[in-house]
Amino acid sequence: MKPKIMLMLILICGYSLSAQTVGTLVAGAKTLDNTVNTAIEKADNVLSDQQRTLYINLLNYTSYLNGVVKSLGDDADRSLTQKELAILNDVNAINGKLESSIGDLLNGLEDGSTTIENAAARIIGSDKSPSPTFFKIPMLTAAQNKNIVIDIKGVRLNNNKNYIVFAGKTIPVTSISSEKLISFTIPLTQADLFSPDSINTFKLFLFQKRLIGKDKEYIYTPRFIVVPKNLATVKTFYKVQYKVREESNGQTDIVHATSGSNKTKDVEKQFNIYNSAAEGWKIDKNSVVCWKESGNGDKHGFGGPYRHTMTDVSFVAKAYAKDGHATCRCKWNEYRIVPKDSIETSEVKIDFNQQEIVSLPDNLISLVRTEAKYYDGSVFKSASSSFKNNYIEFNFRQLEKVFEVKFSAK
């Protein structure tokens, strides 16, 4: 069943007229106000554009609603009128969606705020006065230097006297598209500071034309969301490959010569690598040392290692003796170069409207994963080479050996 159809059924069937009182409506409005304020204060992460717009309008709707229902509090036991019952059904429907899943409220709703627009339009008195039902306010941080545009939807908004006071600046209505849509353009400078840790509001002044006398003024105080300058810390884990020299030291072998005559006997021997050449092992040529380990007779000794015979896997040495014997011992080390890989990390802080390009080492192999830790402590993890999550856009470009992280509002 589609969300809009479900919502209509809730509104039609949710409550009977005789069972509900003004006290129920007042209590429901307060509950909704508490739920919305708690949700926005927790702010699981940097709100998506749709979710942020929805929360802004819920904040403003509950403020608007509570201001109206205060006047009903003196008659708490009175049964609700049909219109008041519709408002109560709106309140309970929105409350239910907030408690179960914000996704349910967002799903299939134009601008993420259709429910709130419809609910606000039903509030007592909204059929007579200029009434805002929907605010589209851009994301703000502690300080910025740019023009921002605030769009306001509602009814009876087409009065040229309408204005707002934002960051201490009085801004007349910039554009009146119709009686249902007006816009304000506000020039902000570095001197305009906002706090993420406090409730931020501006004042909206709407005027109702009168046949006689001055236009009647209505003042609203909408809230807007401010995020810290540093939105997130992005930590990227990637695999690199490097080469390590492994050594096998202290290999030894001998060559032996024996002579029982007056002739000198030379015995040459090829000393071969001890470890497997197929596994990449080589002789460390600079480490080869030979010496006469023992000998006797008229003449005895050793020769080598002979450099001209030396290869990566062998060398030649000899022992010689006359009327006796000789033993030549050679000692050497072996080594091989083997590839190894490890996980390295790069960390970058991303500020509002900031972009960072981080160079990666030449021995990069691949991306492992990325973690974005937002200002409120929530963490988003991904193994993808590119993603966009809550205004943080990530792109890992392996061929270029860089990754890019930036704030992205689109």
Side-chain angles (χ1 to χ4, degrees):
M1 187 177 292
K2 293 182 178 179
K4 287 186 179 179
I5 297 175
M6 289 179 67
L7 189 56
M8 289 177 64
L9 290 175
I10 292 172
L11 298 180
I12 294 169
C13 305
Y15 299 92
S16 68
L17 182 59
S18 60
Q20 303 303 325
T21 65
V22 168
T24 310
L25 176 56
V26 172
K30 287 181 179 178
T31 298
L32 178 58
D33 187 56
N34 290 335
T35 301
V36 175
N37 276 280
T38 300
I40 200 66
E41 285 170 9
K42 288 182 178 178
D44 291 336
N45 44 41
V46 180
L47 299 172
S48 69
D49 186 56
Q50 189 185 32
Q51 191 170 339
R52 180 170 48 85
T53 300
L54 179 67
Y55 272 113
I56 286 172
N57 284 284
L58 278 171
L59 287 168
N60 295 321
Y61 169 67
T62 57
S63 175
Y64 188 18
L65 176 62
N66 275 291
V68 172
V69 299
K70 275 183 182 178
S71 62
L72 304 178
D74 295 336
D75 195 7
D77 295 327
R78 173 177 64 79
S79 294
L80 296 177
T81 65
Q82 193 70 47
K83 184 168 185 177
E84 291 166 347
L85 180 62
I87 295 170
L88 177 61
N89 284 335
D90 285 342
V91 168
N92 282 283
I94 295 171
N95 239 333
K97 294 295 186 183
L98 282 173
E99 290 173 0
S100 59
S101 169
I102 185 65
D104 291 342
L105 194 55
L106 287 167
N107 237 342
L109 301 178
E110 180 186 0
D111 291 328
S113 296
T114 301
T115 299
I116 305 157
E117 289 188 60
N118 292 339
R122 278 190 278 271
I123 292 179
I124 304 133
S126 64
D127 56 344
K128 299 175 183 177
S129 61
S131 302
T133 60
F134 171 86
F135 295 84
K136 186 172 184 181
I137 306 169
M139 178 183 285
L140 296 175
T141 187
Q144 49 269 301
N145 187 18
K146 63 179 180 180
N147 290 346
I148 66 167
V149 177
I150 296 177
D151 294 325
I152 300 173
K153 292 181 181 178
V155 291
R156 287 167 290 282
L157 302 180
N158 56 334
N159 193 312
N160 290 324
K161 294 182 180 179
N162 294 339
Y163 67 95
I164 65 173
V165 177
F166 194 98
K169 306 172 192 287
T170 299
I171 308 294
V173 62
T174 307
S175 170
I176 301 177
S177 300
S178 69
E179 71 157 7
K180 294 183 178 180
L181 175 62
I182 58 175
S183 300
F184 297 88
T185 300
I186 303 104
L188 296 177
T189 68
Q190 296 275 348
D192 296 312
L193 303 177
F194 305 95
S195 172
D197 300 320
S198 61
I199 295 175
N200 291 276
T201 63
F202 64 94
K203 286 190 176 181
L204 169 65
F205 296 82
L206 299 178
F207 292 85
Q208 180 181 7
K209 290 185 180 294
R210 285 180 166 180
L211 295 176
I212 301 174
K214 292 183 177 180
D215 291 355
K216 186 175 181 180
E217 180 185 85
Y218 294 82
I219 303 175
Y220 302 93
T221 310
R223 288 176 61 176
F224 58 93
I225 295 171
V226 176
V227 297
K229 182 181 179 183
N230 177 240
L231 294 182
T233 298
V234 178
K235 194 172 185 179
T236 301
F237 299 78
Y238 51 90
K239 185 182 292 186
V240 297
Q241 189 175 78
Y242 55 95
K243 293 181 179 179
V244 174
R245 179 184 172 108
E246 288 187 356
E247 295 187 354
S248 176
N249 297 333
Q251 323 300 338
T252 68
D253 201 356
I254 63 171
V255 56
H256 183 75
T258 302
S259 171
S261 66
N262 289 326
K263 292 183 178 180
T264 300
K265 185 173 183 180
D266 288 334
V267 179
E268 288 188 344
K269 178 179 178 179
Q270 178 175 296
F271 291 76
N272 296 314
I273 194 166
Y274 179 82
N275 293 291
S276 172
E279 295 177 356
W281 288 98
K282 297 179 181 180
I283 292 174
D284 182 352
K285 297 175 184 178
N286 292 325
S287 71
V288 180
V289 178
C290 298
W291 67 94
K292 184 182 74 173
E293 186 174 66
S294 63
N296 59 43
D298 293 344
K299 184 181 178 182
H300 52 83
F302 76 99
Y306 298 112
R307 295 293 171 182
H308 68 279
T309 67
M310 194 171 287
T311 70
D312 286 338
V313 295
S314 67
F315 62 89
V316 174
K318 74 174 183 178
Y320 62 89
K322 181 180 179 182
D323 288 331
H325 76 276
T327 300
C328 169
R329 180 174 292 277
C330 294
K331 182 179 179 180
W332 69 94
N333 299 332
E334 296 175 4
Y335 74 96
R336 65 176 176 177
I337 305 299
V338 293
K340 297 281 187 180
D341 55 59
S342 66
I343 306 300
E344 294 187 359
T345 62
S346 286
E347 185 174 291
V348 62
K349 294 182 183 297
I350 296 300
D351 289 349
F352 191 84
N353 279 339
Q354 182 191 6
Q355 175 180 338
E356 292 285 347
I357 296 178
V358 179
S359 296
L360 297 169
D362 290 337
N363 58 342
L364 171 73
I365 298 177
S366 62
L367 172 70
V368 178
R369 70 182 187 280
T370 305
E371 295 180 1
K373 185 174 182 179
Y374 291 91
Y375 68 92
D376 64 345
S378 61
V379 177
F380 172 79
K381 298 180 181 181
S382 175
S384 174
S385 61
S386 62
F387 65 82
K388 182 178 177 183
N389 183 72
N390 293 325
Y391 293 96
I392 300 297
E393 188 171 338
F394 176 85
N395 187 14
F396 188 91
R397 302 200 292 269
Q398 185 159 331
L399 292 179
E400 299 175 50
K401 292 184 170 53
V402 299
F403 69 84
E404 178 185 23
V405 191
K406 63 181 179 180
F407 171 87
S408 178
K410 295 182 180 180

